[in-house]
Structures are given as structure tokens and as C-alpha cells.
Amino acid sequence: MKVHHSIAAAVLASAMILPTAVPAFAAQDHRSQAPGIEKQDTLRRAAPRDLKIGTAVAGGGHHETQPYPAPFPNDKEYLQHLAAEFSSVSPENQLKWEYVHPERNTYRFAEMDAIVEFAQQNKQVVRGHTLFWHSQNPAWLEEGDFSKEELRAILKEHIQTVVGRYAGRIQQWDVANEIFNDNGTLRTTDNIWIRELGPEIIGDAFRWAHEADPKAKLFFNDYGVEGINAKSNAYIKLIPQLQAQGVPVDGFAIQGHLSTRYGFPGDLQANLQRFDDLGLETAITEIDVRMDVAAGTQPTAGQLAQQATYYQRALQACVSVDECNSFTIWGFTDKYSWVPVFFSGEGEATVMWNDFTRKPAYYALQDTLEQASPGRGNR
């Protein structure tokens, strides 16, 4: 088995920036949209103790076709904000199959190793994303001529190798990602694992992950499940069935890729609550709020206010549910957002502008976090 180690120790060391070591820029009233990081003026400092506020660590995927170096670990200002603002980090692409397992007998761990080291240095937890998915798989896997026994062995070896490498260092895993269609039926066509091995393989994936790290929390993760609908109902039905079979499912995660083209899912809190009622932890894991913004223009004040309201309502739904313990925004600066690459005519989906100044959405999150923890010690 071959393992890539492409990040030099010196580069890795340069990424280690403790929140207490982040330089404070000139103090500014937060309504001024001026740049700066103050020790007490961050999202992680505002958050209640029992809620991890997180972000995706930019890298891999669409970033590899953009005209800039990999944001992590090359953009030092990005790293300062990543360390200061968040108590949880998720790899954006660095643990997806095509990136971490590019050839059958080759693993590429250097980038993820660096993220985990960065998190440890900055007292952050890590969410692992993802082990079992229909998308971003390498060609050797999707186009390989494998027997069912071989394919099952490949999946088990991958899960136990990846989870085992980070045992004790990753708090939550998105074990199975996007396994249902919008109508609530299983993805039996485009998900290689379900198509070739049957739905029973879903439970096996959770069992193998648990064997590799018994302390990690294991989640289902999906988009389009913000409200009570056919897709989220399918999870409500499936998870108790798996638990009755002894499958170690700990949580259910809602991605939260939202757009101001559509109304806010007003039943988000009620939906989170019904998973909480099953005894599960819940999380919002990939939230962003994209807007219709023509090329070369800026969103209007009204659009920014609407975006801020969507972020605020999503966070409020999470903090109102007892076991919603993790809230992750999918990237925090428009500079590196995936949205314009994949959604034509939409963008500006994060809580900071390209230059890391804060949008109204940032302050909506900050204010909501502060109101959620009056008089309580902060992280």
C-alpha cells in the first residue's frame, strides 16, 4: 500500500496558528465591515459550550482548476480566520474517495493529516466527510471490473484504513452521504455500493467505521432534507430499522445548501426535533445561502438582509433542539466558495467577502450565538 506525503513539514508547521496567537488588527465597530480579528470577537467565542461552530477547509475539488494556490495551507490570512473563528473543521474535498484514494493501492493522506494537525493545534474538533457516496469516486473504482466480494472488501478496507488512521482525532463522521433520491427511494442506480451490493451494505459501512474508531459519532448526511418531506421521512424510517439490527448510527445531519430563490424551510426545527426524538444527535453540516448575482455586480442590501435571515433562522433552529451540537458553514469566504462554479448566476453564498470582511450574515450568526448563551462561559 502506497501513501502520499506531499506536504513538507515546514509548510505544515506554517499552518499551525493558535487562536491566541492570531494578531489583532485595528479595532473596528463591527457594522463598519472593516477587516480584523479580535480575540473575543469571533463566532467560536460567541458560541455556547455545547455547540461546535464549524467550517469546511477549502481544498481539492473545484479549487484545483482555479488560478490560485491551494487555500490550505498557502493563504495565511485565510488560516488566521480559520483558526480564530471556528471550533470545528471539515475537509471540503480532502477525504472524498477521488482525493484520498486516487488509485486502488494508493492513499493520499498528507493534506488531511495537515488539517487534523491544524485542528489539534487550534483546539478544534474535526468532522470526517465522507466514506460512502455516489459522487467524486475515482475512475479505478467506478470503472473497475470487480466481483461483489472484491467490491465489498475494497469498501471495508477503505473505511477501516481511513477511519483507523484518525481514530480518536475525528469527532463525527459522515459515514453514508446522500443515499436517497428526492422521492425517498434509495439511490440504486448511481450509488455503486447500493447498486452492486444491495442496501444491506449501508449498515456494514457503519459497523466497519465503528470498529475502526468506537468513540467517533457516526452520521447520515444529506441535502434537501431541511424540511419534513419524502427524503427526510425515508431517514426517519430507515434509522430505527438499522438501530434495531444493532447498527451504530449516532446522528443525522442536514447539509443546508440554501438559495434565496426559494423560501426558507420553515419546518427545519420541527424536522431536527423529530430526529432528536429518536435519540439521535443532529447537526447542520454544510450551510451556505446563495443569491442571484449577475457577473460584475454586487448583491443589494435587501438580498444581504434576506441571506442573513436565512443563516439566522437555520442557526436558531439548531440551538433550539437539545442534541443539535454542530453547525458548520460550507466555507466562510466568497473567495473560495464552490457556489459560482456549480450554480450559474448565483454566488456570494458565504458570511465573508473575498477580503474576509464580514457580511450581515456573519453578524446574524454572531448575535444568535450570543443570545443562545447569555451568562455562560464561552469556548
Side-chain angles (χ1 to χ4, degrees):
M1 185 185 301
K2 181 181 176 184
V3 178
H4 280 305
H5 293 285
S6 61
I7 295 184
V11 176
L12 177 59
S14 72
M16 303 304 122
I17 304 173
L18 291 168
T20 54
V22 174
F25 295 92
Q28 299 282 345
D29 180 83
H30 73 252
R31 306 300 173 188
S32 70
Q33 295 289 321
I37 309 172
E38 294 185 53
K39 184 177 179 181
Q40 301 298 331
D41 183 28
T42 61
L43 296 176
R44 73 184 291 179
R45 292 288 179 177
R49 288 184 181 274
D50 58 353
L51 178 70
K52 298 299 183 185
I53 186 77
T55 191
V57 177
H62 77 277
H63 299 285
E64 296 185 336
T65 64
Q66 301 303 305
Y68 50 69
F72 184 96
N74 296 297
D75 186 332
K76 299 304 186 288
E77 186 174 7
Y78 173 82
L79 294 176
Q80 290 175 345
H81 288 275
L82 180 64
E85 295 283 356
F86 304 102
S87 55
S88 174
V89 292
S90 304
E92 185 177 12
N93 293 287
Q94 296 93 331
L95 272 181
K96 292 174 181 174
W97 269 75
E98 67 178 6
Y99 197 95
V100 77
H101 200 167
E103 300 171 22
R104 184 171 182 181
N105 296 315
T106 300
Y107 284 87
R108 178 179 176 177
F109 284 122
E111 288 82 0
M112 190 61 203
D113 286 351
I115 292 170
V116 171
E117 290 294 326
F118 180 92
Q120 290 178 324
Q121 290 289 330
N122 291 291
K123 298 185 171 73
Q124 297 164 315
V125 300
V126 182
R127 296 195 80 257
H129 177 79
T130 175
L131 300 170
F132 180 109
W133 193 24
H134 67 277
S135 184
Q136 288 186 249
N137 289 326
W140 71 262
L141 175 65
E142 291 285 351
E143 299 171 10
D145 183 19
F146 302 114
S147 68
K148 292 183 184 299
E149 292 75 17
E150 287 175 316
L151 197 60
R152 178 181 169 85
I154 287 169
L155 179 61
K156 181 178 181 179
E157 183 263 323
H158 175 93
I159 289 175
Q160 298 207 317
T161 298
V162 175
V163 176
R165 183 179 185 87
Y166 301 110
R169 295 187 290 169
I170 288 187
Q171 182 193 48
Q172 299 178 352
W173 277 99
D174 292 330
V175 176
N177 195 47
E178 302 173 5
I179 64 167
F180 285 109
N181 297 304
D182 289 344
N183 63 4
T185 60
L186 279 172
R187 289 182 181 270
T188 54
T189 301
D190 55 354
N191 187 305
I192 185 173
W193 313 113
I194 300 173
R195 182 183 70 238
E196 301 299 329
L197 301 176
E200 295 78 16
I201 195 63
I202 299 167
D204 288 333
F206 278 85
R207 292 186 184 97
W208 294 331
H210 181 71
E211 289 172 4
D213 186 358
K215 293 184 179 180
K217 298 292 187 178
L218 308 181
F219 278 67
F220 281 102
N221 187 58
D222 214 327
Y223 69 91
V225 291
E226 291 76 23
I228 299 173
N229 54 32
K231 201 181 210 183
S232 59
N233 285 341
Y235 284 104
I236 283 285
K237 181 179 179 180
L238 174 65
I239 294 173
Q241 292 175 346
L242 291 174
Q243 290 178 319
Q245 299 166 20
V247 177
V249 180
D250 299 303
F252 178 73
I254 291 170
Q255 292 180 11
H257 295 295
L258 304 178
S259 171
T260 57
R261 287 184 179 182
Y262 313 107
F264 183 85
D267 52 354
L268 173 58
Q269 181 178 332
N271 191 35
L272 285 167
Q273 185 62 54
R274 63 186 189 146
F275 286 95
D276 184 278
D277 292 342
L278 291 178
L280 298 167
E281 293 189 22
T282 58
I284 295 176
T285 54
E286 303 181 25
I287 190 166
D288 45 30
V289 183
R290 58 191 188 271
M291 300 179 286
D292 287 287
V293 183
T297 68
Q298 292 291 319
T300 66
Q303 285 180 302
L304 290 169
Q306 184 181 12
Q307 180 187 59
T309 297
Y310 278 37
Y311 271 107
Q312 185 276 328
R313 292 181 68 183
L315 178 56
Q316 186 60 57
C318 178
V319 299
S320 298
V321 174
D322 285 345
E323 292 302 319
C324 188
N325 298 325
S326 183
F327 186 91
T328 296
I329 57 179
W330 204 240
F332 60 89
T333 171
D334 292 338
K335 183 177 182 179
Y336 298 128
S337 175
W338 72 298
V339 168
V341 179
F342 291 91
F343 295 91
S344 178
E346 294 183 272
E348 316 295 345
T350 76
V351 300
M352 291 185 186
W353 301 106
N354 287 354
D355 63 357
F356 302 102
T357 53
R358 298 166 173 180
K359 296 181 185 177
Y362 177 97
Y363 298 111
L365 292 181
Q366 190 177 49
D367 291 346
T368 303
L369 291 168
E370 289 172 348
Q371 293 168 15
S373 56
R376 297 173 63 181
N378 294 322
R379 282 178 278 199

